[in-house]
Amino acid sequence: MSRSRRYNDICVGKENGGSHGDVVLGCHDAEIAQLTKITSSPHERLSKVVPCKARLPVSPVKMLAGRECNYSGRGRFSLADSCHILSRYLPINGPSDIDKMNSCAYVSQFSADGSLFVVGFQESHIRIYNVDHGWKVQKDIRARSLRWTITDTSLSPDCRLLAYSSISPVVHIVDVGSATKESHANITEIHEGLEFSSNTDDYEDYSFGIFSVKFSTDGQELVAASSDESIYVYDLEAKRVSLQIKAHKSDVNAVCFADETGHIIYSGSDDHLCKVWDRRCFDTREKPAGVLMGHLEGITFIDTRGDGRYFISNGKDQAIKLWDIRKMSSNVEYTSFRRYAEWDYRWMSYPGHVRNMRHRDDLSVATYKGHTVLRTLIRCHFSPANSTAQKYIYTGSADSCVYIYDLVSGDQVAKLDFHEDTVRDCHWHPFYSMMVTSSWDGAIARWEFPGSGYSPTPVRQSRRRR
């Protein structure tokens, strides 16, 4: 979400950051393909229990027959068995209407247990819906110190606290578990402000803002990405910034912890680079553990697989890339260059003749294309581990749709077309085949798989504006 800046223009394939050849879609990493197969394939003894030869995918009827025969020796489905069945039922039926606001929806997420759903809107509004009680509004929050929009929200692992950020150096904390439904900042409820800058002048400087904020798995820390080219780690117990890294050479749009340990941090920036930071071996030089290059334009979002090894990034070059941090470059001084100095993704289309070009030093293990990353920092995610074994990735798009890709083949397996404006964020339920999409048209819509037994409230589509 950077301001318009000039970059050095280069010729194809002559300097760092150049392009060479056409991009190859799909995954060419045998390990992630095998890992996905193992975590989403039925038990190997199934073919011995079912009379006919087992072929993938195995039908649910045969799976149930195998369970009754106790083919696994445990009398129940394993997680891989469950994923083998559930991953076939994509949330493509609907949508049904959850809410409609007169404001652009910027961010949305399910809680870790799927009981809550949070949506942040541009007009200083955040709503928390109780999924288990008919999507009733559990908390209606009016944000404090808002500049332009809510840039990110993050629920703590225990669902007690909500952190929200804006284009300012302050992250605010709201008590989700309190009895107050109407939470107006410092009027009906205190929104504690966590200061990420010791310079008081920053609070009057519009250019300093936080674009991404995430809780650690233990809920003790927050990691934030900012427009001052830095990454911050905030210690909630000590109530102070415990680490500041001058991480990139442009706005840092995305950041997250790699896994539950909190030792490794991933970051993505408008300098086109993803970087890996290991806090266990961090020294005074503030050097990353490694750099991952491959995007031709800035990174808009990062999502981790949670294993401390793989993550995906969405880029303004209209591509999602899958990364294995073991392939990262040790050339931490690598400098990227921008091919089109005057191009601005916020109001210009991406040049068509470079849409399929490939970075000559591309270190990614897979590329996924078909969606559109324009106008805003559009987000992408892995599908849930508990129901799909993370065998899909999905993303919003500036063309008002949601795209679902197969992780291994790179094929587009579904396209959800309903909204009238940019879909900036969307989120898959952690356990059920349900997805909620949030759009700049103000609509919050729920999608489920066909045959779920639920009769959604029909939503009438008005004429789409392009």
Side-chain angles (χ1 to χ4, degrees), residues 135-322:
W135 294 88
K136 293 182 179 179
V137 176
Q138 177 170 312
K139 207 168 191 68
D140 197 356
I141 301 169
R142 287 288 184 174
R144 179 189 177 193
S145 302
L146 185 75
R147 285 179 170 174
W148 177 248
T149 183
I150 302 293
T151 55
D152 204 2
T153 60
S154 182
L155 273 169
S156 62
D158 58 6
C159 299
R160 293 182 56 195
L161 302 175
L162 174 74
Y164 66 85
S165 62
S166 182
I167 305 179
S168 73
V170 182
V171 171
H172 290 92
I173 298 290
V174 182
D175 184 358
V176 176
S178 68
T180 305
K181 179 179 179 180
E182 300 291 334
S183 179
H184 290 209
N186 296 350
I187 298 178
T188 61
E189 196 169 40
I190 297 297
H191 292 189
E192 182 182 1
L194 311 180
E195 298 181 0
F196 281 73
S197 175
S198 59
N199 186 359
T200 57
D201 293 337
D202 287 336
Y203 296 93
E204 302 300 327
D205 183 5
Y206 184 85
S207 65
F208 184 83
I210 294 175
F211 294 144
S212 180
V213 61
K214 295 289 183 293
F215 270 99
S216 60
T217 305
D218 60 7
Q220 299 299 310
E221 293 181 313
L222 284 171
V223 63
S226 73
S227 62
D228 67 348
E229 307 174 355
S230 299
I231 297 171
Y232 296 86
V233 176
Y234 193 96
D235 188 321
L236 292 172
E237 184 175 356
K239 294 186 178 182
R240 64 179 181 85
V241 173
S242 59
L243 178 64
Q244 178 184 359
I245 309 170
K246 199 70 173 178
H248 291 268
K249 296 183 179 180
S250 189
D251 293 357
V252 186
N253 295 326
V255 68
C256 65
F257 290 106
D259 55 22
E260 61 184 10
T261 66
H263 296 315
I264 299 176
I265 298 173
Y266 303 144
S267 64
S269 167
D270 273 332
D271 63 9
H272 314 174
L273 301 177
C274 294
K275 293 186 178 182
V276 181
W277 308 86
D278 192 338
R279 299 165 67 188
R280 294 168 296 185
C281 56
F282 200 71
D283 57 27
T284 57
R285 295 177 299 166
E286 297 189 352
K287 300 295 184 182
V291 175
L292 292 160
M293 61 281 275
H295 280 290
L296 297 174
E297 296 291 342
I299 286 87
T300 63
F301 193 70
I302 281 177
D303 188 41
T304 178
R305 196 173 184 271
D307 55 5
R309 182 174 297 174
Y310 294 98
F311 70 95
I312 55 174
S313 60
N314 217 353
K316 298 174 186 177
D317 55 359
Q318 318 303 300
I320 296 174
K321 287 190 175 290
L322 172 66

Side-chain angles (χ1 to χ4, degrees), residues 311-350:
F311 70 95
I312 55 174
S313 60
N314 217 353
K316 298 174 186 177
D317 55 359
Q318 318 303 300
I320 296 174
K321 287 190 175 290
L322 172 66
W323 308 93
D324 181 348
I325 68 171
R326 295 170 298 179
K327 299 181 183 296
M328 63 188 177
S329 171
S330 59
N331 180 16
V332 296
E333 301 298 332
Y334 179 92
T335 302
S336 64
F337 295 88
R338 191 172 181 184
R339 290 175 48 98
Y340 296 95
E342 301 301 329
W343 179 73
D344 194 315
Y345 84 113
R346 292 175 294 180
W347 50 73
M348 299 172 66
S349 297
Y350 194 64

Side-chain angles (χ1 to χ4, degrees), residues 10-15 18-21 339 354 357-358 360:
I10 61 170
C11 297
V12 174
K14 289 187 177 180
E15 301 289 344
S19 308
H20 180 72
R339 290 175 48 98
V354 296
M357 295 300 290
R358 178 174 60 88
R360 67 175 301 166

